[in-house]
Amino acid sequence: MDDSQMISEVADALADASRVVALTGAGMSAESGVPTFRDTLTGLWGRYDPQRLATPQAFAADPSLVFGWYLTRVRAVLSVEPHVGYDALTRLERHMPEFTVVTQNVDGLHQRAGARKVVELHGSLVGFRCFDQGHPYGFEHIEELARDPSLGERVAPPACHVCGSPVRPGVVWYGEALPATATAQAWSAVGEAEVVLVIGTSALVYPAAELPMAAKRNGAMVVEINPDQTPFTPSADVSWRGRAGELLPRLADAVIGAEVS
Ligand code: NAD
């Protein structure tokens, strides 16, 4: 099946569907310039093992190193914009009766592109809180630190205004449970969806990687958009080899464009 046949097959399914889910991973943000998980292994922080940095134990052992690493990620995310693939998903959301984004990303780009229903499975880089009690910490203070050019790699975390405990990013670290509400919303959306788009995820990080399989079991049409094969590829109904920023606008145009013109 060539690209145009795939577009029309998926566009037809979307046009008929009332419940759609887009499951997104780090590849969704690659064209905006946010490194994927794999890229971070070779990038600026490549000499550190993310599994060693992204744990509560690592934060307790060396808070300045871990806080500094996340400040670098905040800086990176603040300096990029959501690409046209994000806009395409937002256009689809506006067009469909029920459209939910379930993302493993923590960069907040779906929301910045105007998406209204976003389930963040792995938390958010935009929401910091204190380590001991979970008191929220204003992101404006984090932004100020992220924009301070005088800070180096290691940055001592600020103290919580309520209890004095060190402030940590609101992302899910290795060994921590996924947020219960987001998990329930993700399973419920996938359980009801007629079409599920799986975009830019290596389908290796569990439990998020179970969601495309669950969609299959529930009888949804599951469409993978990824330049590379993944462990999920053999199970996908349509497996589309390409970049999110190229394919999603074409798909949104095929679903919506004809009605607008
Ligand atoms: P991953 O890095 O394991 O996989 C990324 C996938 O995206 C790969 O399969 C790759 O082939 C694909 N990809 C690359 N460019 C693409 C493009 N232009 N269009 C479509 N697909 C493309 O990422 P993952 O599966 O999300 O899992 C890694 C973990 O890392 C997640 O837990 C996630 O929370 C975290 N993470 C998040 C961000 C972010 O928030 N942007 C960035 C890095 C890592």
Side-chain angles (χ1 to χ4, degrees), residues 24-31 34-40 73 104-107 122 174 199-205 225-230 242-245:
T24 64
M28 180 73 205
S29 294
E31 289 158 84
V34 182
T36 63
F37 187 62
R38 194 176 304 238
D39 288 339
T40 56
R73 290 187 63 187
Q104 295 171 74
N105 295 346
V106 295
D107 55 33
H122 293 167
Y174 292 99
I199 309 159
T201 172
S202 59
L204 289 170
V205 178
I225 296 179
N226 195 313
D228 294 328
Q229 298 237 352
T230 73
R243 293 177 292 106

Side-chain angles (χ1 to χ4, degrees), residues 187-217:
W187 281 94
S188 156
V190 163
E192 292 174 350
E194 296 141 78
V195 181
V196 174
L197 307 173
V198 182
I199 309 159
T201 172
S202 59
L204 289 170
V205 178
Y206 280 83
E210 284 167 15
L211 290 166
M213 288 312 295
K216 273 297 292 177
R217 284 196 299 275

Side-chain angles (χ1 to χ4, degrees), residues 14-231:
L14 287 172
D16 288 344
S18 40
R19 292 193 169 85
V20 175
V21 169
L23 290 174
T24 64
M28 180 73 205
S29 294
E31 289 158 84
S32 281
V34 182
T36 63
F37 187 62
R38 194 176 304 238
D39 288 339
T40 56
L41 298 178
T42 52
L44 181 60
W45 290 85
R47 63 192 183 281
Y48 297 104
D49 175 356
Q51 299 218 24
R52 293 236 179 124
L53 282 174
T55 66
Q57 292 78 10
F59 186 75
D62 194 343
S64 299
L65 176 69
V66 174
F67 189 80
W69 186 55
Y70 278 97
L71 219 46
T72 304
R73 290 187 63 187
V74 168
R75 203 172 289 128
V77 162
L78 290 177
S79 69
V80 303
E81 297 293 331
H83 59 72
V84 287
Y86 276 97
D87 298 332
L89 287 182
T90 301
R91 280 159 61 208
L92 285 172
E93 181 194 85
R94 301 278 196 272
H95 182 77
M96 313 283 318
E98 192 78 44
F99 190 98
T100 308
V101 172
V102 175
T103 189
Q104 295 171 74
N105 295 346
V106 295
D107 55 33
L109 290 186
H110 285 292
Q111 292 91 330
R112 279 172 57 192
R116 291 189 192 128
K117 201 162 172 199
V118 183
V119 177
E120 293 178 310
L121 275 180
H122 293 167
S124 171
L125 262 186
V126 179
F128 279 64
R129 61 173 191 266
C130 81
F131 187 72
D132 289 344
Q133 306 278 338
H135 297 126
Y137 188 80
F139 188 67
E140 65 279 10
H141 305 305
I142 299 294
E143 249 185 300
E144 215 172 288
L145 287 173
R147 295 190 195 283
D148 183 344
S150 70
L151 294 175
E153 277 185 359
R154 304 174 73 89
V155 182
C160 172
H161 299 308
V162 182
C163 68
S165 139
V167 166
R168 59 160 284 180
V171 301
V172 177
W173 279 333
Y174 292 99
E176 292 185 317
L178 266 50
T181 306
T183 304
Q185 287 171 338
W187 281 94
S188 156
V190 163
E192 292 174 350
E194 296 141 78
V195 181
V196 174
L197 307 173
V198 182
I199 309 159
T201 172
S202 59
L204 289 170
V205 178
Y206 280 83
E210 284 167 15
L211 290 166
M213 288 312 295
K216 273 297 292 177
R217 284 196 299 275
N218 290 332
M221 177 191 200
V222 187
V223 179
E224 183 182 62
I225 296 179
N226 195 313
D228 294 328
Q229 298 237 352
T230 73

